[in-house]
Amino acid sequence: MKGILGKVLEVDLSSKKVEVRPIEDNAIYDYLGGLGLATRLLFDQTRPQIDALSEENVLVIAPGLLVGSGLPTASKTTLTFKSPLTNGFGRSVAGAYLGVELKKAGYDALVIKGKSDKPVYLFIDDDHVEIRDASHLWGKDAIETQELLKAELGNVRTGAIGYAGEKLSKISGVDFEERQAGRAGGGAVMGSKMLKAIAVRGTKNIPYANVEALRETIKKWNQKIVGSPVQELDMKYGSGEFYEWVNKIMGVFPVKNWQQSYFEDSFNAHPDDKSPLDPYYWAPLYTEKHHPCPNCNKPCGRHIVFKEGKYAPLRVEGVEYELLYSLGGALGIDDIEVTAKLNSICDRAGLDGISAGVTLAWAMEAYERGLLTKEDTDGLDLRFGNSDAAVAAMEKLANREGKLGELLCNGVKEASRKLGKGSEKFALEVKGLEPPAYDVRGLKGMALALAVSVRGACHLTGGIYAPELTGSFWEFSNIDRLSSEWKGYEVKTGEDFMTVYDVLGLCKFSRSLFWLEEDVLDAIEAVTGIRFTIEQLMAIGERIYNLQRLFNIREGFTRKDDYLPYRVTHEPISNGVTKGSYVSEEELQDMLDQYYMARGWSKEGVPTKMHLKRLGLVEEAEVFGAPI
């Protein structure tokens, strides 16, 4: 198959051994690349029940099948690992130039094993691979580390952890030139291996099946993007362009640790009911330049600069929609400069901004309830809306400093268990992962998606927020977001669909421009020389998702791990247009039954033997498959 190099680079940091291994033909056809190949490699190369922060864990980095082809928005590279945060399947995705360079160096995936006895970085220069001393980089922030590497090595693409990853924060991620693979604790996995950074330089050509057809497909895709409303909104306002709509019209923007679902105070306190967190306000004022992922000509990313104010001069990549929530609304903060400062702290420390913000929001509620004292917060008056306290607290979290930093550094689930006192009831997490910026009490299909997602409370595993918010998506229409009926098939289909996007490396913000059956099949054929059908692609997505579920089952996960936070199942939304809505425990259990049936799984959520065999997972069926 063209477009695939057939090689995996394996680096063992314990033995300092470097090997290039071939990919078996059946694995190429069954998993293609990106998330597919990364899932297969992780499953095969990790033993059950290992400590996620031990040298036995494996970090896999795999660019999507279409990455490096020049196809617009084919930009995503996937990281897989056993998550130290959830103790299950860990996945994180970024628009990483390092992924493009890795393919140009001749590799479909990079597998990192073992643990160094001192800080190191990995330098890949085509066929030449070195494990180099990183003592001079240890302790540096993630962005500075990459700047120093570029000065040292010249024209390379990089990824690095910050000091949060070095200190093994379970909510730390990996920064790829200010595009973050933030979720599930991949930064701590790198830190546990004493691996500070990776630098790659690739100069080889990627073999494509039909270069002329690929050029025509690139041209066609560009024509769809250029001048489209999607391009205009992404470039003007970024991922947060629907901030006001989600607040006012839908009423599902979580505020003050999900105590509210519409940032009423922010809208009411400002002229014309405009919130300072709205990109329609701040993007025109502070945007310096766009910051695209590889091969993106509708960039939603941007650098914003504050030349005046308390934190000036401040320059940060962002602020994305998710962080307007986790570092804004969830904390009761409606000052974009403060949110940008918190964003900067997270990026430089190498923290997942969603997890860090949601964990801090939990601490603020605990403080206001009297469950945390000033002694516990190192003297901070940790109330919602207290910007100075929020910034100081985030610095403590990032540096694992003081009582507060130690309490919060591993996320909300561990923090609430340490504190106790009933704080678990307002700890927002699923499987240990903090939720994204959609109050699922008013999006019941999305609620199911968070509950069953293999990596925990994730919006991108199934992308179900899109059909739930708009009422239609792809082949779905007439979706009632406040009903729990018929959600199982919706979520199952969304997960398989989104898995395919991660296999290919396509940006999920492009899914309304490039439908699988209309555009993507042509692109795959031009790259690989094979004409897949839509049914074959969706089957590949389904196979990969089932293998991820088996990873979690192998780690001891059961139906009980497909849960929702107590606040979602017991406390109705308190304000806004969706006031009164929530997901009862009975509704959740009924939706789980619907979902497991749609998936071909048992009542306990275990894939059946027959279903696994149908997907080609024959060996796994005999070991893990449910008889019915």
Side-chain angles (χ1 to χ4, degrees):
M1 184 187 295
K2 296 290 186 178
I4 290 179
L5 305 153
K7 295 179 182 179
V8 174
L9 176 63
E10 291 191 2
V11 177
D12 190 323
L13 297 176
S14 297
S15 65
K16 306 297 188 288
K17 188 176 181 181
V18 176
E19 290 186 273
V20 178
R21 296 187 182 275
I23 306 172
E24 296 180 3
D25 287 345
N26 65 324
I28 291 174
Y29 283 91
D30 288 348
Y31 300 98
L32 294 182
L35 177 60
L37 182 58
T39 297
R40 185 74 261 180
L41 289 167
L42 181 72
F43 191 93
D44 291 344
Q45 299 206 30
T46 50
R47 293 189 305 104
Q49 309 299 322
I50 61 169
D51 181 346
L53 295 179
S54 74
E55 64 184 273
E56 294 182 276
N57 202 358
V58 169
L59 176 67
V60 183
I61 303 176
L65 175 68
L66 303 180
V67 168
S69 66
L71 285 159
T73 77
S75 62
K76 302 301 181 181
T77 292
T78 297
L79 282 66
T80 60
F81 45 89
K82 181 177 179 180
S83 168
L85 187 63
T86 69
N87 283 312
F89 182 79
R91 179 192 87 242
S92 204
V93 180
Y97 285 90
L98 181 144
V100 177
E101 214 72 5
L102 193 63
K103 291 196 80 167
K104 289 166 63 179
Y107 310 108
D108 295 299
L110 168 64
V111 176
I112 301 169
K113 305 175 178 181
K115 176 182 180 179
S116 174
D117 56 1
K118 64 179 182 179
V120 294
Y121 73 87
L122 183 62
F123 178 37
I124 302 167
D125 191 0
D126 284 337
D127 299 326
H128 182 72
V129 182
E130 289 184 62
I131 301 168
R132 292 188 171 186
D133 180 73
S135 300
H136 61 300
L137 302 173
W138 203 255
K140 304 291 186 185
D141 71 47
I143 295 172
E144 183 184 5
T145 295
Q146 293 171 88
E147 291 170 348
L148 290 170
L149 275 178
K150 287 174 182 290
E152 183 176 321
L153 301 173
N155 186 25
V156 293
R157 292 299 191 174
T158 56
I161 60 172
Y163 31 83
E166 293 176 7
K167 297 180 180 182
L168 306 185
S169 166
K170 294 178 183 179
I171 57 173
S172 59
V174 185
D175 185 281
F176 293 93
E177 300 175 61
E178 296 185 86
R179 306 303 292 177
Q180 291 79 30
R183 310 238 71 192
V189 174
M190 275 184 65
S192 71
K193 296 180 177 301
M194 300 295 283
L195 179 63
K196 178 64 175 177
I198 304 167
V200 184
R201 178 163 49 232
T203 63
K204 301 177 183 179
N205 292 321
I206 302 169
Y208 296 118
N210 190 329
V211 174
E212 187 56 39
L214 180 57
R215 288 196 187 107
E216 285 301 311
T217 305
I218 292 169
K219 181 179 177 181
K220 179 183 174 183
W221 284 26
N222 279 327
Q223 288 171 345
K224 281 198 170 189
I225 292 174
V226 176
S228 69
V230 173
Q231 183 191 49
E232 180 182 5
L233 290 173
D234 279 355
M235 292 185 70
K236 280 187 175 180
Y237 308 113
S239 61
E241 68 86 14
F242 66 166
Y243 167 83
E244 181 172 326
W245 181 70
V246 175
N247 268 279
K248 286 188 172 182
I249 307 302
M250 307 307 292
V252 290
F253 183 79
V255 177
K256 295 182 179 179
N257 199 40
W258 294 49
Q259 292 182 82
Q260 299 171 2
S261 303
Y262 159 47
F263 206 169
E264 193 168 3
D265 291 346
S266 180
F267 282 96
N268 291 346
H270 299 279
D272 302 319
D273 292 335
K274 292 293 183 184
S275 168
L277 293 184
D278 193 334
Y280 279 74
Y281 157 71
W282 58 260
L285 292 176
Y286 302 115
T287 297
E288 178 189 55
K289 63 178 181 179
H290 289 103
H291 182 230
C293 293
N295 291 111
C296 182
N297 56 357
K298 62 174 196 65
C300 60
R302 69 196 59 238
H303 283 103
I304 59 174
V305 176
F306 297 85
K307 297 179 180 178
E308 299 176 349
K310 181 182 291 188
Y311 305 111
L314 173 63
R315 182 178 185 269
V316 64
E317 204 283 337
V319 177
E320 303 293 342
Y321 170 72
E322 297 298 328
L323 302 190
L324 295 173
Y325 141 75
S326 63
L327 304 178
L331 307 178
I333 290 171
D334 71 344
D335 184 331
I336 187 60
E337 185 178 357
V338 177
T339 296
K341 176 62 177 177
L342 293 168
N343 192 160
S344 178
I345 293 170
C346 290
D347 287 357
R348 290 191 172 277
L351 280 173
D352 175 358
I354 298 176
S355 288
V358 173
T359 302
L360 183 53
W362 167 86
M364 286 179 161
E365 183 168 349
Y367 182 82
E368 289 198 350
R369 286 172 176 256
L371 305 181
L372 286 175
T373 67
K374 276 196 173 182
E375 183 180 350
D376 299 316
T377 64
D378 302 316
L380 298 176
D381 183 24
L382 205 59
R383 299 182 184 277
F384 287 113
N386 187 337
S387 299
D388 291 341
V391 170
M394 189 63 77
E395 292 280 15
K396 289 179 177 294
L397 192 164
N399 287 283
R400 203 164 183 162
E401 177 186 292
K403 287 185 177 181
L404 186 63
E406 191 60 39
L407 176 65
L408 303 182
C409 68
N410 288 327
V412 72
K413 186 173 185 177
E414 186 170 312
S416 65
R417 283 179 173 174
K418 285 181 179 178
L419 179 61
K421 303 178 184 179
S423 65
E424 300 89 347
K425 290 186 176 181
F426 55 90
L428 281 302
E429 53 85 16
V430 177
K431 298 180 178 69
L433 185 70
E434 294 77 9
Y438 308 89
D439 192 327
V440 297
R441 290 174 291 186
L443 302 164
K444 294 192 177 181
M446 181 77 175
L448 174 62
L450 292 196
V452 300
S453 167
V454 287
R455 77 167 179 180
C458 169
H459 61 299
L460 290 173
T461 297
I464 302 303
Y465 64 92
E468 291 285 304
L469 285 169
T470 63
S472 64
F473 180 76
W474 196 28
E475 302 295 338
F476 292 103
S477 59
N478 300 316
I479 295 170
D480 182 354
R481 68 186 177 96
L482 299 179
S483 169
S484 59
E485 296 296 320
W486 297 103
K487 299 301 184 183
Y489 185 72
E490 176 192 340
V491 172
K492 181 263 184 197
T493 304
E495 290 169 339
D496 294 345
F497 183 98
M498 289 301 178
T499 298
V500 171
Y501 267 70
D502 282 337
V503 167
L504 302 176
L506 285 175
C507 175
K508 291 172 180 175
F509 287 169
S510 298
R511 60 191 182 273
S512 63
L513 288 170
F514 311 128
W515 297 111
L516 293 182
E517 66 270 44
E518 296 173 8
D519 301 290
V520 175
L521 296 180
D522 291 341
I524 296 173
E525 184 176 14
V527 167
T528 67
I530 297 174
R531 185 71 185 185
F532 287 89
T533 66
I534 184 66
E535 292 79 14
Q536 287 173 319
L537 270 190
M538 290 295 283
I540 289 170
E542 188 174 8
R543 177 183 303 115
I544 294 161
Y545 198 84
N546 274 261
L547 189 60
Q548 293 169 10
R549 180 76 176 192
L550 291 181
F551 185 98
N552 282 352
I553 289 169
R554 193 172 71 174
E555 294 301 319
F557 284 53
T558 66
R559 178 177 177 132
K560 67 177 176 57
D561 294 293
D562 293 340
Y563 60 85
L564 288 169
Y566 181 91
R567 176 153 282 165
V568 171
T569 56
H570 288 79
E571 300 177 19
I573 289 175
S574 65
N575 72 335
V577 298
T578 316
K579 182 177 180 179
S581 181
Y582 73 110
V583 182
S584 71
E585 188 61 39
E586 293 74 19
E587 283 181 300
L588 173 60
Q589 295 307 315
D590 179 63
M591 288 195 292
L592 288 178
D593 288 340
Q594 295 176 38
Y595 173 76
Y596 294 160
M597 187 176 296
R599 273 270 173 226
W601 297 351
S602 74
K603 187 88 171 176
E604 294 305 310
V606 179
T608 62
K609 287 181 182 292
M610 182 178 294
H611 187 64
L612 290 173
K613 288 180 179 179
R614 184 181 70 80
L615 293 172
L617 297 170
V618 178
E619 293 181 13
E620 291 81 3
E622 294 303 324
V623 177
F624 302 104
I628 190 166

